[in-house]
Amino acid sequence: KGLFQWVSRKLRCAINVCKLFRHVRQHMIKKKKLLVLVGAGASVDLGMPCSEMIHGLFKVWAQQEFPLVDKPDSNLYSYIEEQISSFYKTHPKTGLQKNTNFEEMLYTILQIAQFKKNDNYINPLLAFISCRKMPCVCHHGVKTRVDGFLLYWLASFLIDKLLEHFRTACKTIDRASSKFKKHAHFWRKLHDDYSLGVFNLNYDNLILQALPGIDTGFSPVNGSFNAPSLMQSISWDFCYHMHGSIHFN
């Protein structure tokens, strides 16, 4: 019995020494760099909306606040989308006809808003371009003419709703689920084996949840964006949201 205990202690000691050498070796050997570009839809399996889903959410939210007076089952966002889609279909080469998306829609709404402002006398394009009349909406129960202010309101409303949706979805993610555990294991394994750099095109923070402490370009103290530090940094182990982040106040 005494011999067995002695051998067991020696084996445990040897195993611990091997683990220590492996740990030291991993830090002494320079890791290879791995740059990952995370595209839209990568988090759909974890409950995050893809671009097309966001497009659908915008229609639902716009229906709540900006329904059309003469067509109550439609809304201002859907009307603008229909006009853009109809225009794209006029392209003579059908293979080059495109579809719009929520980001292009927001950009278009904000551009139209400039042309619909009543006091805009500084945009030279208004000397040549005029904006067609849009159908009135029922805004807060009142028949309202669509002008630049209302279009800005629509864009701001949809952006705020999207921000709220993503923040809520990320905060309430089931971290005990098998899908999230697989997600976290995947990213932690990459982080252990490589000097990792991630360019993330999504709005969710699920990679940051899997890799807490990874550099984001934002201060962990006050949430401010530190552009000079990011541009001057030569170290890896980062995750940058290329379309902007909604998780740092």
Side-chain angles (χ1 to χ4, degrees):
K1 182 178 179 180
L3 179 62
F4 177 77
Q5 290 178 341
W6 180 82
V7 172
S8 297
R9 286 197 300 270
K10 292 298 182 180
L11 285 173
R12 286 197 298 269
C13 181
I15 291 172
N16 290 333
V17 170
C18 288
K19 289 182 178 179
L20 176 62
F21 275 119
R22 188 189 310 162
H23 182 73
V24 172
R25 182 174 178 273
Q26 287 176 343
H27 282 78
M28 290 180 65
I29 298 176
K30 189 175 181 180
K31 292 182 181 179
K32 291 184 178 179
K33 293 180 179 178
L34 177 66
L35 182 62
V36 182
L37 177 63
V38 180
S43 303
V44 171
D45 286 344
L46 291 168
M48 300 297 129
C50 65
S51 178
E52 187 60 33
M53 294 176 183
I54 295 174
H55 199 39
L57 287 171
F58 274 14
K59 293 179 183 179
V60 173
W61 295 332
Q63 188 64 41
Q64 298 170 0
E65 296 287 335
F66 301 89
L68 301 182
V69 171
D70 296 331
K71 194 178 179 182
D73 59 341
S74 187
N75 57 79
L76 184 57
Y77 181 87
S78 295
Y79 168 80
I80 296 173
E81 180 209 14
E82 290 168 2
Q83 300 305 306
I84 295 173
S85 297
S86 296
F87 171 73
Y88 284 158
K89 289 178 181 178
T90 61
H91 198 299
K93 297 182 178 180
T94 56
L96 296 179
Q97 293 176 2
K98 58 176 290 189
N99 296 316
T100 189
N101 56 66
F102 81 94
E103 290 171 316
E104 183 179 64
M105 283 289 297
L106 286 175
Y107 171 79
T108 302
I109 291 169
L110 292 173
Q111 290 298 305
I112 299 173
Q114 295 187 46
F115 292 101
K116 298 287 283 186
K117 287 179 65 178
N118 296 328
D119 59 347
N120 190 348
Y121 297 99
I122 60 174
N123 189 334
L125 292 178
L126 290 175
F128 306 94
I129 301 174
S130 60
C131 190
R132 71 172 65 174
K133 185 178 179 180
M134 292 187 177
C136 293
V137 302
C138 183
H139 191 51
H140 296 306
V142 179
K143 182 178 179 179
T144 307
R145 182 176 59 86
V146 177
D147 58 9
F149 177 76
L150 191 74
L151 288 166
Y152 280 124
W153 196 337
L154 170 63
S156 298
F157 170 76
L158 294 175
I159 291 171
D160 287 344
K161 293 289 288 186
L162 182 61
L163 185 151
E164 179 185 3
H165 181 84
F166 266 109
R167 284 188 169 181
T168 300
C170 290
K171 288 179 180 178
T172 58
I173 188 76
D174 184 4
R175 296 171 64 92
S177 68
S178 60
K179 287 185 177 180
F180 185 85
K181 287 181 178 179
K182 290 178 181 178
H183 160 84
H185 175 76
F186 172 79
W187 287 107
R188 289 167 188 163
K189 182 63 177 173
L190 287 183
H191 187 260
D192 290 342
D193 294 346
Y194 298 93
S195 291
L196 185 63
V198 181
F199 288 138
N200 196 345
L201 303 181
N202 296 315
Y203 293 104
D204 63 78
N205 69 350
L206 299 187
I207 295 177
L208 304 185
Q209 291 191 41
L211 300 174
I214 195 169
D215 183 41
T216 62
F218 290 82
S219 169
V221 178
N222 57 23
S224 62
F225 182 62
N226 192 342
S229 175
L230 184 148
M231 297 301 294
Q232 296 169 11
S233 176
I234 60 173
S235 62
W236 278 53
D237 290 332
F238 62 81
C239 179
Y240 298 148
H241 285 77
M242 305 306 292
H243 290 176
S245 178
I246 61 174
H247 301 281
F248 304 96
N249 293 326

